[in-house]
């Protein structure tokens, strides 16, 4: 509520009185006249007719009485209207002292001309409170109504005296200094407003950017989530009825068991009947849309039976025990199913589809029906030419090898400069040779060899062959009753590929190709999407192996592959060293021979005869053999994970020179991920008669 300080001056001319300067006393008539002119009606003033000045006006300072008080002058100064006005100013300030600080009072004094009105706007400019207001001639409506008669009388009696004193009339004129200060304040306000607007714009931009980033994480393929701002489109209770039925089935099983314990045969039969009905109704339903309309009546009936069972059989401790037992049983079933799923996945990865087996058999038969002179590949002179682009491909899968060769040639700028060195085993040599004799890679050169014809590769030279012939290794692989065969963690290492020298031949490249200086090693589960000749121009900086690193923040580092509790590992390798991938590797064979990389591999393979340094496989010994000798390639050369990771970025796949289906979900298997399979199938000749006869279809 605004505080109003209103001063009213009775427009009657007071009589001039003489006052004794020594006693500063006044008579009752004087006091009456002072009351008539509203002179300082102070709450402390209770005057009497004969009391001295200090008793009558205890709130007046001596200086005021000496200088302007009408009854304190030695010359018996008359009591004038001007004196009353000055006293009113002083008393007004005294009234304001309890309400405002000294700084505010200074502002009031500096902005007031005699008894002129004080403007509320002037106080706002000085940051004063707006909870009070000083009113002159233009006060509130109520004040104007009260003062209107008095003002009219004053105007009649004071004609011609406006120069001396004017009541309720504002006369405001800003000095140059005040005007300049006001302009500076206005500029400062405008600048601050502009800054706030700018800050608001930045906040809006940040919010928009955040919303955009959040929208990227929303799977637009999921129905009901196409708009992140409309939550009503997300039906979070789409399976509420299904979940209710499942809960009823669980509780029915609990009460069924308790009813049997309590020999309550009637309730037991009723629960058993309703339980079978609910299980049949639920079936394989996963959402409410899969249920029939009649199922809601079954839910209601089941609820009634459960209520009856609760009244007759409920025992908190017993029900809790039954639920806990059911939970443990379900947990054991989940673990068993998970182990079974792992086993089946590993088994599927080991198997060869019927179509590919059929293809291999048909090609093998036709190969051995060919005359010897027709079994040779053309352009054999290019096999030892170090100026050409040489590829090493070791595989026993005809269809997979054909995709690698075909995709490389299709994307090569000059196929005539590419040479493929393909090595397979004795079982698949005929089929592999027959396929590429029937389907030569254009102007490129290809040669197929049999690993079993490498007489230098024997158990006396190769530690892996010696270990594979040992009794412990045979027991590990071939005895199903061995205790460790049930371990899911070791199941993946019992893959037949680890028994084949094709998997370990990558450590003997200088021996297989003694006349070559550089060779690009390719796995048979990759697809080439760009010309690879740029890899021969990459400077390996004296390293042997050029490969793409695979480590993330904590994934695919050395401690994930090697046993660092073994002192041989702990003192020679960094557990946080970054791993790299086989599948597409550029090897400098000249540096390989100089550093005797094969000898380093033999050293570590001999130390791991009991599999104490690492499990089976070729990547762990590769990490150790090429430790400190691997040059990291740009990740766009080789993108991995298409055989196990469903969330590989599509743009990375499209921009990659080579995509790798590492993992169990190979593209030629039924368990392959559908969205990645087209990258591989586009290079398969499904129209070929051999593929059609073996029912190999896209």
């Amino acid at each position: 509520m605004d505080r109003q300080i209103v001063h009213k001056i009775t427009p009657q001319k007071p009589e001039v009185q003489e006052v004794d300067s020594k006693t500063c006393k006044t008579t009752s008539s004087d006091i009456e006249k002072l009351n008539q002119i509203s002179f300082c009606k102070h709450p402390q003033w209770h005057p009497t007719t004969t009391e001295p000045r200090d008793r009558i006006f205890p709130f007046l300072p001596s200086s005021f009485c000496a200088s302007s008080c009408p009854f304190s002058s030695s010359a018996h100064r008359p009591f004038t209207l001007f004196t009353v006005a000055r006293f009113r100013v002083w008393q007004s300030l005294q009234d304001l002292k309890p309400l405002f600080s000294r700084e505010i009072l200074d502002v009031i004094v500096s902005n007031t001309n005699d008894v002129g009105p004080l403007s509320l706007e002037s106080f706002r400019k000085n940051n004063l409170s707006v909870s009070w207001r000083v009113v002159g001639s233009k006060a509130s409506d109520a004040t104007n109504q009260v003062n209107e008669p008095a003002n009219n009388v004053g105007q009649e009696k004071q004609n011609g005296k406006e120069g001396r004193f004017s009541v309720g009339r504002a006369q405001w004129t800003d000095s140059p200094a005040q005007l300049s200060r006001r302009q500076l304040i206005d500029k400062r306000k405008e600048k601050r407003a502009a800054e706030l607007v700018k800050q608001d714009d930045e906040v809006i931009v940040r919010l928009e950017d955040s919303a955009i980033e959040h929208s990227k994480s929303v799977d637009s393929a999921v129905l009901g989530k196409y708009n992140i701002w409309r939550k009503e489109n997300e039906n979070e209770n789409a399976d509420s009825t299904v979940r209710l039925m499942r809960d009823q089935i669980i509780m029915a099983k609990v009460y069924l068991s308790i009813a049997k314990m309590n020999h309550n045969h009637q309730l037991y039969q009723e629960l058993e009947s309703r339980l079978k009905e609910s299980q049949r109704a639920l079936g394989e339903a996963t959402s409410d849309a899969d249920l029939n309309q009649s199922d809601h009546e079954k839910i209601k009936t089941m609820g009634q039976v459960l209520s009856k069972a609760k009244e007759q059989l409920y025992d908190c401790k017993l029900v809790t025990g039954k639920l806990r037992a059911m939970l443990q049983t379900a947990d054991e079933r989940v673990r068993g199913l998970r182990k079974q799923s792992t086993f089946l996945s590993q088994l599927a990865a080991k198997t060869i589809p019927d179509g590919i087996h059929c293809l291999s058999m048909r090609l093998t038969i036709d190969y051995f029906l060919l005359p010897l002179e027709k079994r040779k590949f053309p352009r054999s002179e290019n096999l030892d030419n170090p100026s050409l682009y040489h590829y090493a491909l070791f595989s026993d899968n005809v269809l997979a090898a054909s995709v690698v060769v075909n995709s490389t040639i299709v994307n090569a700028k000059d196929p005539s400069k590419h040479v493929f060195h393909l090595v397979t085993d004795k079982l698949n040599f005929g089929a592999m040779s027959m396929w590429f004799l029937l389907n030569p890679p254009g102007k490129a050169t290809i040669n197929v060899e049999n690993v079993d014809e490498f007489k230098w590769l024997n158990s006396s030279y190769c530690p892996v062959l010696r270990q594979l012939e040992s009794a412990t290794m045979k027991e590990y692989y071939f005895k199903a009753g061995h205790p460790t065969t049930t371990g899911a963690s070791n199941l993946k290492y019992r893959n037949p590929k680890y028994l084949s020298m094709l998997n370990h031949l990558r450590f003997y490249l200088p021996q297989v190709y003694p006349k070559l200086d550089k060779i690009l090693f390719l796995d048979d589960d990759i697809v080439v999407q760009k010309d690879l000749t740029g890899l021969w121009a990459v400077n390996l900086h004296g390293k042997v192996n050029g490969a793409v690193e695979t480590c993330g923040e904590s994934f695919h580092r050395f401690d994930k592959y090697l046993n660092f509790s073994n002192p041989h590992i702990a003192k020679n390798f960094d557990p946080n060293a970054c791993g790299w991938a086989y599948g597409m590797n550029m090897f400098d064979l000249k540096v390989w021979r100089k550093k005797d990389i094969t000898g380093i591999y033999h050293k570590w393979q001999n130390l791991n005869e009991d599999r104490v340094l690492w499990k089976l496989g070729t990547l762990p010994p590769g990490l150790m053999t090429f430790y400190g000798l691997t040059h990291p390639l740009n990740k766009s050369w080789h993108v991995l994970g298409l055989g196990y990771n469903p969330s590989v970025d599509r743009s990375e796949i499209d921009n990659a020179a080579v995509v790798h289906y590492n993992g169990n979900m190979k593209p030629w298997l039924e368990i392959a991920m559908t969205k990645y399979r087209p990258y591989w199938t586009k290079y398969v000749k499904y129209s070929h008669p051999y593929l059609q006869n073996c029912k190999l279809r896209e």
Side-chain angles (χ1 to χ4, degrees):
M1 180 179 229
D2 291 342
R3 177 181 176 87
Q4 295 182 348
I5 303 174
V6 182
H7 300 296
K8 181 178 66 174
I9 297 178
T10 304
Q12 296 178 358
K13 183 176 180 181
E15 297 179 9
V16 178
Q17 301 290 333
E18 297 293 334
V19 183
D20 187 353
S21 61
K22 292 182 180 180
T23 61
C24 198
K25 292 183 179 180
T26 183
T27 65
S28 58
S29 59
D30 294 331
I31 295 174
E32 183 179 355
K33 293 177 180 178
L34 287 174
N35 284 330
Q36 290 177 358
I37 61 171
S38 302
F39 180 76
C40 294
K41 294 182 179 179
H42 197 280
Q44 298 183 16
W45 183 27
H46 302 286
T48 61
T49 57
T50 58
E51 290 180 356
R53 169 183 55 84
D54 295 335
R55 296 287 295 171
I56 299 174
F57 301 106
F59 50 89
L60 288 178
S62 301
S63 59
F64 182 90
C65 192
S67 61
S68 59
C69 184
F71 20 76
S72 62
S73 174
S74 58
H76 305 287
R77 184 175 302 167
F79 183 87
T80 64
L81 189 61
F82 176 74
T83 304
V84 173
R86 291 191 58 187
F87 177 71
R88 288 178 58 239
V89 171
W90 177 86
Q91 188 198 4
S92 298
L93 294 177
Q94 295 301 313
D95 289 339
L96 295 176
K97 276 185 179 181
L99 304 176
F100 304 102
S101 63
R102 183 176 183 82
E103 291 78 6
I104 296 177
L105 293 175
D106 291 341
V107 173
I108 295 173
V109 173
S110 64
N111 284 276
T112 305
N113 287 327
D114 294 331
V115 290
L118 299 179
S119 172
L120 183 60
E121 295 301 322
S122 66
F123 291 143
R124 286 179 177 169
K125 295 180 183 299
N126 292 279
N127 300 322
L128 299 182
S129 171
V130 295
S131 63
W132 62 279
R133 187 176 180 187
V134 178
V135 183
S137 62
K138 296 182 180 180
S140 64
D141 294 340
T143 306
N144 283 334
Q145 292 174 3
V146 172
N147 291 342
E148 186 175 359
N151 289 339
N152 293 337
V153 174
Q155 289 176 1
E156 293 175 0
K157 296 236 179 155
Q158 293 186 16
N159 290 334
K161 296 184 180 180
E162 293 179 358
R164 289 184 58 194
F165 185 75
S166 178
V167 178
R169 191 170 294 178
Q171 297 178 357
W172 298 101
T173 55
D174 291 337
S175 65
Q178 291 175 328
L179 183 61
S180 176
R181 183 169 60 181
R182 185 177 294 108
Q183 291 175 351
L184 290 174
I185 292 173
D186 292 341
K187 290 181 179 179
R188 194 156 52 240
K189 289 181 179 179
E190 292 176 359
K191 182 179 179 182
R192 178 58 179 164
E195 292 176 354
L196 291 175
V197 171
K198 183 179 179 182
Q199 290 178 1
D200 290 343
D201 292 341
E202 293 175 354
V203 170
I204 292 172
V205 170
R206 286 198 299 270
L207 290 174
E208 290 176 351
D209 293 341
S210 176
I212 292 171
E213 290 299 323
H214 177 68
S215 66
K216 292 179 181 179
S217 64
V218 177
D219 188 359
S220 59
V222 179
L223 295 179
K225 292 191 176 182
Y226 59 89
N227 190 331
I228 63 174
W229 307 114
R230 295 185 61 185
K231 294 295 184 181
E232 63 271 18
N233 292 316
E234 295 186 16
N235 190 357
E236 298 179 356
N237 298 320
D239 60 343
S240 59
T241 307
V242 171
R243 286 188 281 113
L244 175 60
M245 294 184 69
R246 289 172 181 167
D247 292 342
Q248 287 184 339
I249 290 172
I250 292 172
M251 292 308 300
K253 290 179 179 179
V254 171
Y255 286 124
L256 192 69
S257 176
I258 298 175
K260 187 176 182 180
M261 290 173 55
N262 295 341
H263 305 289
N264 192 336
H265 300 293
Q266 181 180 357
L267 185 59
Y268 177 85
Q269 292 176 356
E270 191 174 358
L271 282 168
E272 187 178 31
S273 174
R274 300 306 177 192
L275 178 61
K276 290 180 180 179
E277 286 183 1
S278 295
Q279 288 176 333
R280 284 195 297 267
L282 184 61
E284 301 295 329
T286 57
S287 65
D288 296 351
D290 300 331
L291 300 174
N292 296 324
Q293 292 293 333
S294 60
D295 294 339
H296 293 280
E297 189 64 30
K298 295 177 181 178
I299 294 173
K300 183 179 179 180
T301 305
M302 174 63 89
Q304 294 172 352
V305 175
L306 289 175
S307 298
K308 181 179 178 182
K310 182 178 180 181
E311 293 176 359
Q312 299 182 21
L313 304 174
Y314 183 76
D315 180 277
C316 182
K317 185 176 181 180
L318 190 58
V319 170
T320 303
K322 291 291 183 181
L323 288 172
R324 185 179 293 111
M326 292 175 64
L327 179 62
Q328 292 175 353
T329 303
D331 188 52
E332 291 176 0
R333 289 185 60 192
V334 168
R335 285 199 297 267
L337 292 172
R338 190 174 296 165
K339 185 181 294 186
Q340 184 180 9
S341 175
T342 302
F343 173 79
L344 293 175
S345 176
Q346 297 293 339
L347 182 63
K350 296 176 185 179
T351 58
I352 299 175
D354 291 342
I356 296 179
H357 180 71
C358 169
L359 177 64
S360 180
M361 293 298 101
R362 287 178 177 271
L363 290 170
T364 300
I365 293 171
D366 291 346
Y367 174 77
F368 285 106
L369 294 176
L370 285 176
L372 291 177
E373 62 273 12
K374 292 185 178 181
R375 298 180 185 178
K376 295 182 180 180
F377 290 94
R379 295 184 288 274
S380 59
E381 66 278 3
N382 292 334
L383 297 177
D384 297 329
N385 186 350
S387 62
L388 301 178
Y389 304 114
H390 294 266
Y391 300 86
L393 175 61
F394 308 148
S395 175
D396 58 359
N397 187 323
V398 176
L399 194 61
S402 68
V403 170
V404 174
V405 174
N406 189 28
S407 63
T408 304
I409 296 303
V410 168
N411 293 285
K413 295 179 180 178
D414 187 358
S416 63
K417 295 184 178 181
H418 294 258
V419 180
F420 294 90
H421 302 267
L422 203 156
V423 180
T424 187
D425 56 14
K426 179 171 57 177
L427 184 63
N428 293 282
F429 175 75
M432 199 76 70
S433 299
M434 188 63 187
W435 177 265
F436 287 105
L437 287 171
L438 293 174
N439 304 280
K443 296 180 180 180
T445 302
I446 191 168
N447 185 52
V448 179
E449 296 180 89
N450 181 2
V451 67
D452 296 310
E453 293 180 358
F454 296 160
K455 301 304 179 183
W456 53 269
L457 196 61
N458 50 56
S459 58
S460 61
Y461 174 68
C462 178
V464 172
L465 281 176
R466 185 171 64 254
Q467 292 169 9
L468 289 175
E469 293 175 358
S470 66
T472 56
M473 193 66 70
K474 290 179 181 178
E475 183 182 15
Y476 181 79
Y477 273 106
F478 301 111
K479 289 193 177 182
H482 194 274
T484 59
T485 57
T486 58
S489 61
N490 295 327
L491 190 61
K492 64 178 292 186
Y493 299 108
R494 294 183 179 83
N495 194 312
K497 70 179 183 179
Y498 296 118
L499 293 173
S500 173
M501 270 309 298
L502 287 176
N503 202 42
H504 295 269
L505 194 61
R506 64 192 69 190
F507 294 103
Y508 299 95
L509 290 175
Q511 289 80 0
V512 180
Y513 311 109
K515 296 183 180 180
L516 300 182
D517 296 334
K518 274 190 174 184
I519 195 166
L520 183 65
F521 172 79
L522 298 176
D523 270 344
D524 63 356
D525 56 351
I526 63 102
V527 174
V528 178
Q529 301 185 127
K530 294 182 180 180
D531 181 68
L532 300 180
T533 55
L535 286 168
W536 275 263
V538 175
N539 186 359
L540 299 182
H541 301 282
K543 305 295 179 63
V544 181
N545 176 26
V548 170
E549 293 181 335
T550 57
C551 57
E553 294 182 0
S554 60
F555 303 102
H556 299 293
R557 297 188 182 272
F558 273 43
D559 60 346
K560 302 297 180 182
Y561 301 100
L562 306 177
N563 178 19
F564 275 86
S565 63
N566 188 285
H568 293 292
I569 300 295
K571 70 180 181 181
N572 287 287
F573 303 100
D574 178 9
N576 293 318
C578 190
W580 44 268
Y582 271 124
M584 189 209 72
N585 305 79
M586 175 59 70
F587 291 112
D588 189 329
L589 300 183
K590 293 174 66 176
V591 182
W592 184 311
R593 299 183 186 99
K594 182 179 179 180
K595 295 185 179 294
D596 189 20
I597 298 300
T598 305
I600 297 174
Y601 164 71
H602 284 172
K603 168 193 169 183
W604 291 113
Q605 195 69 53
N606 286 324
L607 290 174
N608 194 47
E609 186 170 359
D610 297 329
R611 300 184 304 279
V612 294
L613 303 184
W614 71 88
K615 302 293 183 182
L616 292 178
T618 55
L619 182 56
L623 296 175
M624 301 167 70
T625 301
F626 296 102
Y627 183 67
L629 298 173
T630 300
H631 174 74
L633 299 176
N634 190 290
K635 292 184 182 297
S636 62
W637 282 111
H638 187 191
V639 170
L640 300 101
L642 277 69
Y644 71 92
N645 184 6
S647 58
V648 180
D649 192 287
R650 184 59 61 93
S651 63
E652 291 183 4
I653 297 175
D654 295 337
N655 295 326
V658 172
V659 293
H660 195 170
Y661 292 84
N662 57 314
N664 290 331
M665 301 178 185
K666 303 299 183 185
W668 54 84
L669 298 176
E670 291 183 1
I671 61 174
M673 283 184 275
T674 306
K675 64 178 181 179
Y676 297 146
R677 207 163 182 267
Y679 294 100
W680 186 82
T681 56
K682 66 185 292 188
Y683 296 105
V684 178
K685 298 178 181 179
Y686 286 103
S687 59
H688 197 282
Y690 277 90
L691 271 63
Q692 291 184 346
N693 290 334
C694 290
K695 299 181 180 180
L696 285 169
R697 299 182 179 88
E698 187 175 1

